[in-house]
Amino acid sequence: MDMQTSLLDRLFSTGLLIDTGVEGLYGRSGAFEDVIARFERLIDAYGGADGAEAMRFPPGMNRAHFETSGYMKSFPQLAGTVHSFCGGELDHMSLLQCMEVGGDWMKDQKPTDIVLTPAACYPLYPTIAKRGRLPAKGGLYDLQSYCFRHEPSNDPARQQLFRMREYVCMGTQDHVTEFRQTWMDRGLEMMAKVGLDVTMDVANDPFFGRAGRMLANNQRDQNLKFELLIPVTSAAKPTACMSFNYHQDAFGAKWGLNLENGDVAHTACVGFGLERIALALFARHGLDIALWPAEVRKVLGYQD
């Protein structure tokens, strides 16, 4: 039995994760959720004084905004759309008959105006663009959302529906790259405080196809993406639990995000994979939170 399956089985047997019968789609116990809530309070302790505007979007976004984002050009293999029954009574009867015989009842479902959110920041850009020009100092935003990526796996750290906490910074190149560096330093410090062994490495997004390989190489060559890697199911192949991304002016140009002086805004973001961080804590310190090291429990606010 491989380490991924072994950890997943242990998480199921202790009830920390709940099997739904679909790979990468899990329920969470109260104890698991509590670890995430406590880690988010640690995030707040580091980022709270920065004055970010908090927003919370649902796990679905406007399909027109999704199409404008260009996500399907780069990551069609990960996208999830929402379809619904839109027929009349006769169509409903046909649907039920189809289901009764085990037929493909999904073929007549129609796309809605909602697409599953692929990253917490995607609804933010059109929202800010609608406000008009950014102030000279730019903008800083605190986001958290369930996100969807279609990559079924028995690796518990690769879930199809998961939560992402993000800070997004908009402003000049110097402003947003300084923001990113600040959070890279903070990320290393935070993970050390909770007893996790980490490495920082340059990375790329999983762009699709032959053209995607060129985009990935460019992203690496320009150091546009770094990931904070933590062992979860494998020490040899640690899991990306935080990412630090500099988008240059790509999103600013796409969405018409301009600073007060008319310059196109540059953007950067830091993302926390909340389930992955919780899993890293369980993998490192054990599945019984009461037995975690006292210093880690103290940082997370547990009372001994």
Side-chain angles (χ1 to χ4, degrees):
M1 183 179 293
D2 62 37
M3 285 183 64
Q4 293 176 2
T5 306
S6 175
L7 177 60
L8 185 59
D9 285 345
R10 288 163 53 217
L11 290 162
F12 285 158
S13 66
T14 56
L16 286 165
L17 291 184
I18 301 163
D19 187 3
T20 68
V22 176
E23 288 185 344
L25 182 68
Y26 308 122
R28 287 89 165 162
S29 71
F32 193 97
E33 290 295 288
D34 188 47
V35 169
I36 288 180
R38 290 172 184 274
F39 192 85
E40 284 211 80
R41 287 197 284 273
L42 181 61
I43 296 173
D44 293 336
Y46 275 83
D50 295 342
E53 178 184 353
M55 297 186 192
R56 298 294 182 262
F57 292 100
M61 65 176 290
N62 184 321
R63 190 179 89 190
H65 292 163
F66 175 83
E67 291 167 354
T68 300
S69 76
Y71 191 85
M72 290 301 285
K73 183 177 180 181
S74 299
F75 315 109
Q77 77 280 17
L78 301 179
T81 55
V82 178
H83 289 62
S84 289
F85 172 74
C86 300
E89 288 191 29
L90 289 176
D91 300 305
H92 183 222
M93 290 176 61
S94 297
L95 180 146
L96 294 178
Q97 290 169 358
C98 184
M99 293 181 73
E100 192 171 331
V101 298
D104 180 14
W105 63 274
M106 292 289 293
K107 61 183 173 60
D108 293 322
Q109 299 286 291
K110 304 297 183 185
T112 68
D113 291 329
I114 297 172
V115 172
L116 296 176
T117 303
C121 61
Y122 268 65
L124 175 69
Y125 303 110
T127 299
I128 301 303
K130 198 160 55 174
R131 295 179 177 179
R133 289 190 176 184
L134 289 155
K137 65 178 182 179
L140 181 63
Y141 310 95
D142 170 1
L143 310 170
Q144 198 253 55
S145 176
Y146 260 102
C147 303
F148 174 84
R149 292 179 188 171
H150 181 243
E151 40 186 358
S153 171
N154 64 6
D155 178 353
R158 190 165 295 282
Q159 300 186 16
Q160 296 199 71
L161 275 164
F162 56 92
R163 275 160 296 185
M164 186 184 295
R165 176 76 179 268
E166 281 196 58
Y167 285 103
V168 178
C169 183
M170 303 180 184
T172 65
Q173 178 178 348
D174 289 345
H175 180 199
V176 304
T177 53
E178 181 183 356
F179 156 86
R180 184 176 74 155
Q181 185 58 56
T182 295
W183 271 107
M184 288 171 72
D185 296 337
R186 288 174 175 176
L188 291 169
E189 185 178 307
M190 292 170 69
M191 296 309 176
K193 280 190 173 183
V194 294
L196 295 176
D197 298 324
V198 304
T199 55
M200 186 80 71
D201 200 3
V202 67
N204 62 268
D205 290 310
F207 296 104
F208 184 77
R210 185 180 303 171
R213 287 193 288 275
M214 189 185 294
L215 290 171
N217 289 335
N218 290 341
Q219 194 177 32
R220 282 180 169 273
D221 290 344
Q222 297 180 69
N223 290 332
L224 299 181
K225 184 182 187 72
F226 287 89
E227 290 178 338
L228 196 152
L229 306 169
I230 308 176
V232 178
T233 58
S234 168
K237 295 182 178 180
T239 298
C241 293
M242 289 184 68
S243 65
F244 311 87
N245 307 283
Y246 171 42
H247 314 122
Q248 301 176 306
D249 64 356
F251 287 148
K254 182 181 294 290
W255 293 107
L257 298 166
N258 295 94
L259 300 173
E260 200 171 71
N261 63 4
D263 289 350
V264 176
H266 286 234
T267 63
C269 70
V270 53
F272 298 82
L274 296 177
E275 278 81 7
R276 288 184 171 186
I277 292 169
L279 289 166
L281 287 164
F282 284 115
R284 176 70 179 87
H285 302 308
L287 303 190
D288 187 345
I289 298 167
L291 300 180
W292 285 8
E295 60 272 21
V296 173
R297 288 175 55 82
K298 182 178 179 181
V299 168
L300 292 174
Y302 288 101
Q303 300 298 318
D304 286 318

